[in-house]
Amino acid sequence: MISERKQSKYVCVIGAGPSGLVTTRELRKEGHCVVMMEQNHDVGGQWLYDPNVEGEDPLGRSKFSEVHSSIYASLRLASPREIVGFSDFPFVVKKGRDTRRFPGHRELLWYLEDFCECFGLRETIRFNTRVEYVGMLDSDEVGEGLKWVVRSRDVESEKVVEEVFDAVVVATGQYSHPRLPSIKGMEAWKRKQMHSHIYRVPHPFHNEVVVVVGNAASGQDICIELVGVAKEIHLSAKSLDISEGLSKIISKHHNLHLHPQIESLHEDGRVVFVDGSWVVADTIIYCTGYSYSFPFLDTKGIVAVDDDRVGPLYEHTFPPSLAPSLSFVGIPRKQCG
């Protein structure tokens, strides 16, 4: 049997991070015409380190983030390079670069740049282009005939372009929209509050009393960095049943203290914990993770983020009633590491 050649589709891929880059390569291999839209000046997505965070809301409450990357300067990969790279484009050691098995973030950006150059992907990318709206051209038309309107804005010239695509792939990542706890007194607490999304280096916290909320990877990393510059660091964790490794770190540093969850914040600077203990702090850093956010996407309620779950999605990728014209790449959080 001779199969008919698949018809080429005009596809918009949103985001030029790892998910967007590999998706674009695969779509082009299948003969599709792809336009990748990237709000930053270069490829890399989360791995394009951005030290300039002054324009971002410290708690990330804006609908559209000014800063996409949440990487801090000292961050290294938590997984070995052998399992980080794409299966047919190994993340190999290169002379003159970061040769460690768990390299710094700059090495992964270089790897993604190499991938981009190897497969000629730059020609498909519109840099400095922010997608502001994605919606169905005709919501009564579903399935194979469904097309999508994409409105984008050039962040430098402010020029707005509206186009129609056969399909849209959302590959915008999942670590840019801060998730915040609900704590009594947050609005009344007038000192500095920020999410780890905009943390970059420790020196701005010199001689401060800092409360770090959350003891997952970023919370622990930031605490360890701060011990050399801050006056005191108070780590607030959901459970005081911590790992042996974290316990050893706390025991080594006289200015690093462990506390249970925060009960309330007060105008005079007090941070009160649920066990009744309290400190007067200069800064609170919320290392409380991220939420999925697609502020540009209008699916008439078909796809929604509910309790940090994106759905309904088949195989975490395709919304059944909108497939194959709409898909999400990079949704799962639990990965081998």
Side-chain angles (χ1 to χ4, degrees), residues 123-142:
E123 65 190 46
T124 72
I125 307 173
R126 296 180 192 169
F127 291 110
N128 298 307
T129 300
R130 171 170 287 169
V131 174
E132 296 186 336
Y133 174 80
V134 174
M136 292 172 273
L137 180 63
D138 183 353
S139 57
D140 295 328
E141 183 77 45
V142 294

Side-chain angles (χ1 to χ4, degrees), residues 213-233:
V213 182
N215 69 327
S218 61
Q220 292 187 35
D221 282 355
I222 291 172
C223 281
I224 292 169
E225 285 205 333
L226 291 177
V227 292
V229 297
K231 181 180 180 181
E232 298 174 12
I233 307 99

Side-chain angles (χ1 to χ4, degrees), residues 36-236:
M36 218 183 324
M37 297 189 184
E38 169 54 51
Q39 67 179 356
N40 255 315
H41 66 279
D42 205 349
V43 301
Q46 192 63 226
W47 299 99
L48 183 61
Y49 175 71
D50 185 357
N52 302 311
V53 296
E54 289 77 13
E56 184 69 290
D57 183 313
L59 294 175
R61 294 167 294 194
S62 304
K63 181 178 180 182
F64 288 94
S65 299
E66 293 297 324
V67 177
H68 180 73
S69 176
S70 298
I71 288 177
Y72 36 95
S74 64
L75 185 137
R76 290 175 59 183
L77 272 64
S79 302
R81 63 168 68 235
E82 292 90 341
I83 66 171
V84 171
F86 302 121
S87 59
D88 61 349
F89 193 79
F91 189 9
V92 298
V93 172
K94 291 197 172 184
K95 188 177 180 181
R97 299 206 328 208
D98 189 339
T99 59
R100 294 174 294 181
R101 195 180 184 203
F102 296 84
H105 58 83
R106 179 62 176 144
E107 179 69 11
L108 183 51
L109 178 62
W110 282 332
Y111 166 77
L112 294 173
E113 290 173 347
D114 291 344
F115 180 84
C116 191
E117 297 301 329
C118 179
F119 296 103
L121 301 180
R122 283 190 180 272
E123 65 190 46
T124 72
I125 307 173
R126 296 180 192 169
F127 291 110
N128 298 307
T129 300
R130 171 170 287 169
V131 174
E132 296 186 336
Y133 174 80
V134 174
M136 292 172 273
L137 180 63
D138 183 353
S139 57
D140 295 328
E141 183 77 45
V142 294
E144 292 287 340
L146 181 60
K147 294 182 182 292
W148 295 85
V149 176
V150 176
R151 185 171 68 242
S152 62
R153 182 185 299 271
D154 186 296
V155 298
E156 296 179 336
S157 69
E158 293 292 324
K159 181 183 178 181
V160 176
V161 176
E162 191 164 286
E163 299 163 90
V164 176
F165 290 87
D166 297 308
V168 171
V169 180
V170 179
T172 52
Q174 51 181 265
Y175 298 109
S176 292
H177 186 74
R179 182 170 63 236
L180 294 170
S182 178
I183 300 173
K184 180 182 176 183
M186 278 184 74
E187 296 301 322
W189 206 77
K190 301 304 181 184
R191 302 189 181 193
K192 186 165 61 177
Q193 296 184 72
M194 58 181 282
H195 191 275
S196 58
H197 169 60
I198 63 166
Y199 174 88
R200 293 297 181 266
V201 291
H203 63 77
F205 307 93
H206 177 71
N207 208 34
E208 286 193 356
V209 175
V210 182
V211 173
V212 176
V213 182
N215 69 327
S218 61
Q220 292 187 35
D221 282 355
I222 291 172
C223 281
I224 292 169
E225 285 205 333
L226 291 177
V227 292
V229 297
K231 181 180 180 181
E232 298 174 12
I233 307 99
H234 298 269
L235 176 60
S236 171

